[in-house]
């Protein structure tokens, strides 16, 4: 079974790519995989196995 998480993302004035990379790496360490990033990058959908 899969579980999903929607993460809200706000663009800042500086270091957007670095902050996004850090955020995604943090979730990846918890087993989350990016399934979709909305075009305007305000929401990111993550997925992982629930029974890990």
């Amino acid at each position: 079974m899969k579980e999903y998480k929607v993460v809200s993302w706000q663009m800042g004035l500086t270091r957007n790519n670095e902050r996004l990379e850090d955020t995604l790496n943090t979730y990846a360490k918890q087993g989350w995989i990016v399934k979709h990033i909305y075009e305007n990058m305000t929401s990111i959908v993550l997925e992982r196995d629930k029974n890990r």
Side-chain angles (χ1 to χ4, degrees):
M1 176 182 253
K2 303 284 185 183
E3 66 179 322
Y4 297 89
K5 177 184 287 282
V6 177
V7 178
S8 295
W9 178 256
Q10 290 186 324
M11 298 283 284
L13 296 176
T14 61
R15 297 185 51 235
N16 287 316
N17 289 341
E18 292 173 24
R19 288 188 312 110
L20 179 58
E21 186 176 318
D22 290 343
T23 300
L24 294 177
N25 284 332
T26 299
Y27 282 111
K29 289 176 186 173
Q30 299 171 18
W32 293 100
I33 298 169
V34 174
K35 293 306 283 185
H36 185 75
I37 298 178
Y38 287 91
E39 212 171 291
N40 57 8
M41 286 184 52
T42 58
S43 297
I44 301 167
V45 178
L46 306 170
E47 174 188 80
R48 74 175 175 186
D49 287 326
K50 192 168 190 160
N51 303 322
R52 348 180 253 133

